[in-house]
Amino acid sequence: MTPELMGRLTPFREEALRRGIPLQDVERWIAAARPSGTLVTRGEGPVAGRFGGSLMLPADAPDPWYPLLATLDCAALPEAVTGLPLPADGHLLFFGFPEMTYYGDSAGEVVYIPAGTPVEERRTKYPCVHGEEGDGLDDETLRIHEQFPQDDLRLSADVSLPYHFLVPSPEPGQEDAPLPGHPRAWELAEAWTDTCDGIVVDGPLHIGGYASHECTETDPVADAAQDAERARRHRTAGAHEPVDAAELPAPDQWTLLAQWDIGLTGREGATLHWVIPRQDLAERRFERAHVSFFWNP
């Protein structure tokens, strides 16, 4: 991470020390900082994609189950900015809808289209929000969908620290445990929450870094990973033949692909997180990504 990005954390360091947190604990927390790309609709950064727009897919690609949120140009998302080993070229399409799911099911999907792949415009039926036959949106869903943003997205380099201070306990039935090696995790996360607005870039879509939502106790990535495993078990239990039989990687083996801070009327304070096992990201297995929706109305 660049010295300029690390320098942005000075207000956090000063505030944490002011609260009496020992310097060694503060520096250990800062050492966990990650680069993150924030995508904004205004500014001077390079255009890295867009919200909305035409849905362009290969002819043999299945119909998406969710509305298109954004199409991103991988060549404009370098690892030095996002902290993620994304493909060097091609496009990532992020689909999702801000609605609760059942049994931990995914609230969206990710599609990767390698550079040079022939594509054609597709009209999406959105079976997740239209019903089984895809014939019509209910009024509430239509009202939310009509607010989906339509604009170019510009990349800004950002810095990210953990917003959470608990991790899932490895023991069944045990409560979440404090972050290992961080005895002052709650105080550090609180100091970050109280100072981050003056440090991070204000934008609606984040690539990489640490996930956040209104519930700051636990990591949204770990929570989404647990949902993905719960959904896998539900699908397997209900199938006539074994499907997705292998357990998914442990929650600490997942990473944040993208976070949309929604901000739509009727979904104020809601968040969508696209997460993926790190190994699947390295192997370009984006079909294994999981999308979680969080909302505390």
Side-chain angles (χ1 to χ4, degrees), residues 19-41:
R19 297 183 184 199
I21 303 173
L23 177 61
Q24 63 193 36
D25 290 327
V26 176
E27 294 303 328
R28 190 182 302 123
W29 196 260
I30 289 175
R34 295 175 181 172
S36 172
T38 296
L39 294 164
V40 300
T41 55

Side-chain angles (χ1 to χ4, degrees), residues 149-229:
Q150 305 281 329
D151 210 339
D152 286 342
L153 287 165
R154 297 179 178 274
L155 180 65
S156 293
D158 214 346
V159 62
S160 182
L161 281 173
Y163 294 83
H164 61 283
F165 51 89
L166 296 175
V167 294
S169 172
E171 300 298 327
Q174 296 293 318
E175 295 296 326
D176 292 328
L179 282 169
H182 293 285
R184 309 293 287 271
W186 182 86
E187 296 163 272
L188 287 159
E190 186 179 55
W192 172 243
T193 300
D194 289 346
T195 58
C196 66
D197 285 348
I199 296 172
V200 301
V201 177
D202 183 17
L205 192 63
H206 309 275
I207 307 297
Y210 290 96
S212 66
H213 54 39
E214 285 189 345
C215 177
T216 59
E217 287 85 358
T218 58
D219 181 8
V221 174
D223 291 345
Q226 291 178 317
D227 284 346
E229 176 60 22

Side-chain angles (χ1 to χ4, degrees), residues 31-205:
R34 295 175 181 172
S36 172
T38 296
L39 294 164
V40 300
T41 55
R42 297 290 183 270
E44 302 299 325
V47 174
R50 69 168 286 111
F51 273 137
S54 299
L55 172 57
M56 307 300 294
L57 289 172
D60 60 351
D63 285 338
W65 277 74
Y66 297 88
L68 174 67
L69 173 69
T71 300
L72 302 184
D73 179 2
C74 293
L77 299 170
E79 185 173 355
V81 174
T82 66
L84 298 176
L86 298 174
D89 53 26
H91 291 84
L92 280 175
L93 278 60
F94 289 85
F95 299 84
F97 193 80
E99 194 64 74
M100 299 302 296
T101 60
Y102 298 101
Y103 304 106
D105 282 345
S106 185
E109 55 195 296
V110 181
V111 173
Y112 172 56
I113 303 177
T117 303
V119 294
E120 58 186 29
E121 188 168 356
R122 181 79 59 88
R123 178 184 176 275
T124 307
K125 295 180 180 179
Y126 306 157
C128 74
V129 292
H130 280 192
E132 291 185 3
E133 301 301 323
D135 17 66
L137 292 164
D138 62 78
D139 290 343
E140 171 67 8
T141 300
L142 178 61
R143 185 171 65 84
I144 297 299
H145 187 216
E146 286 178 338
Q147 295 180 66
F148 270 39
Q150 305 281 329
D151 210 339
D152 286 342
L153 287 165
R154 297 179 178 274
L155 180 65
S156 293
D158 214 346
V159 62
S160 182
L161 281 173
Y163 294 83
H164 61 283
F165 51 89
L166 296 175
V167 294
S169 172
E171 300 298 327
Q174 296 293 318
E175 295 296 326
D176 292 328
L179 282 169
H182 293 285
R184 309 293 287 271
W186 182 86
E187 296 163 272
L188 287 159
E190 186 179 55
W192 172 243
T193 300
D194 289 346
T195 58
C196 66
D197 285 348
I199 296 172
V200 301
V201 177
D202 183 17
L205 192 63

